[in-house]
Amino acid sequence: GVKFYDDKTNKLMDITEFAFKTTQAGVYSFWASYKTFNTTPVTVTAITSPIPDLPLDSKPEATSFVKRVFINQFTGTGCGFCPNMIAVLTNFGKTYPDKYVLAACHTYNDDDPAFLDYSIDNAMAVGGYPCVVLNLDKTQKFQNYNQPALLKNMFLEDYGTGKVGAGIAVSTLLDGDNIVIRAEMKVASEGKYRIGAWLLEDGIMARQSGAGVDPIEHNNCVRDIYSKNTASDYSGRLHIMDAGESAQEFFLATMNSKWKSANCHVVVFVCAQKSNGNYATVNVIDCPLGKSLSYEYAE
């Protein structure tokens, strides 16, 4: 009496003996029904490339990790005021190197060569440009580039001691046009966590409104997002975790021919559920495409 349905089309699938099989690489999602009960969707990612191994965990019992803040910059080449925010973030990076990961979401104008065709700006309730959001938390916004101290205060309040109870290890692989990401998170306390991954590209040359007639270099441009759950939720894939537990996720994507793989890198982040039920990023790492990073423990 059990029936299986394709999650994208809701059409009935021919699955026999409760086994899903495929010879084609791709991402497959389906759900099942029995009488009046429907399951949540299950996603299977099938790849033909070898899955990359994760680096060895040097301290398997440790659960205190180095923390980085996730900074999302909402911008675009047609935004005349965005160079002011770029200057603020450039100076900010000189003051707090290696304490955060920056991802530039070019969602302002669709003729931008780094345009990101995701409505994450709406999900983060971005009402004007430029705008900076911390940790995928739409309540943590910075827009007044004339008062950079406000960004500093927000960052320091979140960064705290620079230690956090959630860590990330990642291995990435580029095989032809196939991008394979193997990510693992380990947590210090029980709770609901989400893990996601984005692909970023550096070195995109384009003229920037408000910054003269010559093209400038745009870095950390978000090219693809592998953490979208709904139109308003980009927090990643859910795991209910016990203290000291680890969980893995695999992300499969295709490299666009217009992107330069040598300039690409992968951002992996962990979100934790807040007391209000929403999720916010608690840690993030940035890994070159084709490389691996192990857990980074706090002393």
Side-chain angles (χ1 to χ4, degrees):
V2 176
K3 297 179 180 179
F4 295 91
Y5 296 85
D6 184 289
D7 186 46
K8 294 182 179 179
T9 65
N10 288 325
K11 292 182 178 180
L12 194 65
M13 297 178 65
D14 183 17
I15 295 181
T16 59
E17 298 180 353
F18 293 89
F20 173 77
K21 300 176 182 179
T22 181
T23 59
Q24 299 294 321
V27 179
Y28 302 86
S29 294
F30 42 85
W31 54 275
S33 70
Y34 177 70
K35 295 184 178 179
T36 60
F37 176 77
N38 295 334
T39 69
T40 56
V42 171
T43 299
V44 173
T45 301
I47 63 174
T48 56
S49 306
I51 298 174
D53 292 326
L54 288 170
L56 183 67
D57 188 350
S58 62
K59 298 180 180 179
E61 303 301 322
T63 55
S64 181
F65 305 91
V66 172
K67 177 180 180 178
R68 290 180 179 86
V69 177
F70 198 17
I71 297 180
N72 297 142
Q73 173 195 6
F74 290 89
T75 184
T77 56
C79 169
F81 295 104
C82 284
N84 299 313
M85 186 67 81
I86 292 172
V88 169
L89 292 172
T90 299
N91 291 330
F92 184 84
K94 295 176 182 178
T95 306
Y96 301 103
D98 200 38
K99 290 181 173 58
Y100 68 95
V101 170
L102 174 67
C105 299
H106 284 242
T107 51
Y108 183 78
N109 52 295
D110 59 11
D111 60 345
D112 186 333
F115 180 67
L116 178 65
D117 194 15
Y118 285 87
S119 59
I120 188 172
D121 52 340
N122 293 328
M124 293 294 104
V126 174
Y129 288 75
C131 181
V132 165
V133 176
L134 266 58
N135 293 327
L136 294 176
D137 183 349
K138 60 185 178 182
T139 68
Q140 296 294 311
K141 287 194 190 73
F142 169 72
Q143 290 185 275
N144 192 349
Y145 48 77
N146 291 316
Q147 292 185 284
L150 298 177
L151 176 61
K152 174 184 175 181
N153 292 340
M154 286 176 55
F155 169 80
L156 291 177
E157 182 178 356
D158 182 86
Y159 188 73
T161 63
K163 300 178 182 180
V164 69
I168 307 165
V170 61
S171 288
T172 66
L173 171 71
L174 180 62
D175 183 9
D177 293 333
N178 293 323
I179 302 170
V180 182
I181 303 168
R182 183 177 190 170
E184 183 178 86
M185 61 176 168
K186 184 165 61 169
V187 301
S189 58
E190 66 176 341
K192 293 183 178 180
Y193 295 85
R194 293 183 178 271
I195 185 167
W198 295 3
L199 182 72
L200 277 57
E201 184 180 359
D202 297 333
I204 300 174
M205 301 301 298
R207 181 179 174 180
Q208 173 67 53
S209 179
V213 297
D214 295 327
I216 67 171
E217 184 175 355
H218 298 268
N219 296 317
N220 303 304
C221 303
V222 182
R223 283 305 201 183
D224 210 351
I225 288 177
Y226 317 125
S227 63
K228 180 181 177 181
N229 302 313
T230 68
S232 59
D233 181 6
Y234 287 75
S235 60
R237 299 176 185 172
L238 176 65
H239 291 263
I240 300 174
M241 310 281 287
D242 291 327
E245 188 179 11
S246 60
Q248 292 188 19
E249 278 289 353
F250 300 90
F251 303 92
L252 173 69
T254 302
M255 176 65 69
N256 190 303
S257 60
K258 297 180 181 179
W259 306 339
K260 294 182 179 180
S261 59
N263 294 347
C264 289
H265 43 118
V266 174
V267 167
V268 179
F269 58 87
V270 171
C271 293
Q273 189 176 44
K274 301 166 59 179
S275 59
N276 61 6
N278 295 331
Y279 288 82
T281 306
V282 292
N283 210 356
V284 58
I285 60 173
D286 192 345
C287 180
L289 184 59
K291 302 293 183 180
S292 300
L293 290 176
S294 58
Y295 288 113
E296 190 173 358
Y297 291 101
E299 296 181 359

